[in-house]
Amino acid sequence: QVQLVESGGGLVQPGGSLRLSCAATGFRLSLYAMSWYRQAPGRERERVAHMGLSPSSANYTDSVKGRFTISADYTKDTVYLQMNSLKPEDTAVYYCHALRRASWGVYDYWGQGTRVTVSS
């Protein structure tokens, strides 16, 4: 079965840290560009971090630069989002996304989401 399963969300105080995980089953993560998105209540889904096939290609939306880090362990087919110095405005449901564009087609998978709440 092909799927992405996120974990690691929860309630954290402002200034705290969380690490989100996204485990892939049924496909090799190393063949995919990986992204983390988030969606806050009443707002559109936005991409916060992206990593192409090369880990050095990571990029971030301005609001999380210097605080969030995307990484991957391809031996575990898992991608991570380390989130530090969390702010209340980081509160959202976080989703991981895998994308592969091959000559014969496009493979596009989403996880189910994990909720992050930043509040005192």
Side-chain angles (χ1 to χ4, degrees), residues 77-116:
D77 283 323
T78 299
V79 66
Y80 303 97
L81 185 68
Q82 178 66 44
M83 305 186 296
N84 299 329
S85 302
L86 283 161
K87 305 175 181 180
E89 52 264 43
D90 295 318
T91 296
V93 178
Y94 285 73
Y95 300 88
C96 64
H97 177 246
L99 178 66
R100 180 186 179 192
R101 299 183 188 277
S103 59
W104 57 89
V106 177
Y107 300 86
D108 183 8
Y109 305 117
W110 288 91
Q112 83 288 352
T114 186
R115 185 174 302 276
V116 172

Side-chain angles (χ1 to χ4, degrees), residues 7-9 17-21 80-83:
S7 61
S17 298
L18 282 175
R19 188 177 79 157
L20 306 183
S21 299
Y80 303 97
L81 185 68
Q82 178 66 44
M83 305 186 296

Side-chain angles (χ1 to χ4, degrees), residues 39-50:
Q39 188 165 20
R43 301 191 67 177
E44 293 187 355
R45 189 173 295 190
E46 66 168 340
R47 191 172 77 178
V48 297
H50 174 78

Side-chain angles (χ1 to χ4, degrees), residues 4-16:
L4 293 170
V5 179
E6 297 107 332
S7 61
L11 174 64
V12 62
Q13 292 187 343

